[in-house]
Amino acid sequence: MAKRAYISAVGHYVPDKVLTNFDLEKMVDTNDEWIRTRTGISERRILEQGKATSDMAAEAVKKICAAQDMDPMEIDLIIVATVTPDMFFPSTANLVQEKVGAKNAWSFDVAAACSGFIYALEIGVQFIVSGKHKKVIVIGGDKMSSIVNYRDRNTCVLFGDAAGAVLLEPTEDEEIGYIDSMQFSDGSGADYLMMKAGGSLNPASLETIANDWHFIYQDGKSVFKFAVKKMAEVAVDVLKRNNYTGDDLTLFVPHQANLRIIDGAVKRLGIDYDKVMINIGKFGNTTAATIPLALSEAYEQGKLDVGDLVLFATFGGGFTWGSSLFKWGIPKPKKI
Ligand code: UT7
């Protein structure tokens, strides 16, 4: 019988340090009311200096190993989705492999901005379905504070730092696991959301630093227009393709970039808000981490049980977007 992939464990890590809207009021010309009403964000977490994406990712994996009573040596593959790798090379996944002691795993990074986790999840699923691997860790992690310009009010209010991870394993149970997914890219979106320097086109120089090209740049309005349309579209399409409607969903876990973008998708799906996981208020946009972080929190809060239908959808830089559909396979935690 063909193998199915299912999510057998979840874990996340957020730094302790909180940066509130009121803190940002002292740094740039902004205010709590504007940020909350335009984005839904009240605060975000900031990782200390000297720590990097791999540290947060490793903590998320350690939580999974502890919860599963799993020796890290059992892990076959580690995939990290990030746009804030510790360094260009080695990959952040390599650094996580070492930090968690997963000596038998091979490891690599995926870069698809806010869609990174959904892209990486699909890769992980295929390695399970093919029968090649039995334990695949997929991580979304970003230290956005390392590329945010805290003098630019257009972007600095939006982002935060976090990591989330899932463990994928094979199952023969047809009632749980991966159902379907869709992924898309449109490179014409490159001009609207990017970090211009540091790569092979504009290596670091005095000029790139003076121009603030090592920080995230976003044409918010243009990105918003695409995001609101495409994230809703792909969420609806993946459900339809599998003969489901919003009524069948237990939980929708959208990318957390802006509450107004989530609103658009929720309306198109025709679902009530009690079926939507929203934690943007506490963490802001943590890029590749938003979906695994929200999923891990949703599970901890008892929002998911075996057999529940759960839908992920995302939109991000590139442009990139996508959606995945699963039947949940982990029993509800006993203590909530
Ligand atoms: O996760 C990856 C994908 N990214 C996204 O999906 C983000 C998509 N974009 C957005 O979420 C929204 O476009 C933003 C939240 C970034 C901006 O919201 P907006 O409603 O599109 O605002 P805007 O850029 O049109 O700016 C409206 C006004 C402008 O002032 P004027 O020109 O009307 O006088 C801005 O200068 O708000 C001003 N503004 C601010 N005011 C107070 C922009 N940022 C701020 C701020 N505080 N932080």
Side-chain angles (χ1 to χ4, degrees), residues 30 34 38 114 153-154 218 220-221 255 258 260-261 285:
T30 190
W34 189 97
R38 306 307 291 168
C114 298
R153 71 175 183 173
N154 292 298
Q218 176 171 248
K221 255 194 177 52
H255 172 50
N258 187 320
R260 291 184 292 140
I261 297 173
N285 182 350

Side-chain angles (χ1 to χ4, degrees), residues 32-151:
D32 173 60
E33 215 247 323
W34 189 97
I35 303 171
R36 273 191 297 101
T37 53
R38 306 307 291 168
T39 71
I41 303 167
S42 296
E43 55 187 50
R44 65 291 289 143
R45 300 298 177 97
I46 304 293
L47 188 64
E48 68 200 82
Q49 278 192 14
K51 296 262 183 192
T53 299
S54 71
D55 294 300
M56 297 190 291
E59 287 307 314
V61 176
K62 284 179 193 166
K63 281 182 190 160
I64 285 180
C65 291
Q68 296 293 94
D69 202 13
M70 177 175 80
D71 184 340
M73 299 288 272
E74 292 174 39
I75 301 169
D76 300 306
L77 168 62
I78 298 173
I79 311 174
V80 173
T82 188
V83 286
T84 51
D86 292 27
M87 53 193 95
F88 262 130
F89 66 89
S91 75
T92 300
N94 280 178
L95 303 172
V96 173
Q97 185 239 24
E98 173 64 16
K99 280 178 183 166
V100 304
K103 290 283 185 196
N104 294 319
W106 63 297
S107 48
F108 61 88
D109 288 0
V110 168
C114 298
S115 306
F117 178 78
I118 291 303
Y119 276 33
L121 189 63
E122 180 64 15
I123 299 168
V125 161
Q126 297 308 328
F127 274 105
I128 297 284
V129 170
S130 72
K132 180 106 200 279
H133 292 315
K134 294 201 162 45
K135 287 186 196 290
V136 175
I137 290 277
V138 180
I139 305 165
D142 271 302
K143 184 186 179 186
M144 294 308 290
S145 62
S146 67
I147 59 167
V148 162
N149 181 352
Y150 286 97
R151 285 173 278 114

